[in-house]
Amino acid sequence: MRQAWAELVGAYPAAGRVEADVDPDHLARTLIAAAQGAIAQQALFGDVRVEVLKDGLRALRSMAETKIS
């Protein structure tokens, strides 16, 4: 399954959807983890609205990258 996702997202850099230096396997693993987390939340808490997840992802994307020293 991970390989299929990696192949799918492997086209994202050329399409300008993600930065060119992103490893497709890393992106696939992250997307799978997010999907599994959404499924777990649905099972534990009931209704998980797409708007809530979209808002959370938007907030994460807006975070500035900081170096840990």
Side-chain angles (χ1 to χ4, degrees), residues 4 14 18 25 41 44 62 67-69:
V18 297
D25 184 63
Q41 283 192 29
L44 292 170
S62 70
K67 296 197 184 258
I68 299 173
S69 53

Side-chain angles (χ1 to χ4, degrees), residues 15-56:
R17 299 192 75 180
V18 297
E19 295 176 9
D21 65 343
V22 173
D23 183 322
D25 184 63
H26 295 180
L27 180 53
R29 286 175 179 248
T30 302
L31 289 172
I32 291 167
Q36 290 172 331
I39 292 166
Q41 283 192 29
Q42 180 71 30
L44 292 170
F45 309 124
D47 185 37
V48 178
R49 294 189 341 253
V50 172
E51 297 80 18
V52 171
L53 300 177
K54 283 174 61 175
D55 192 45

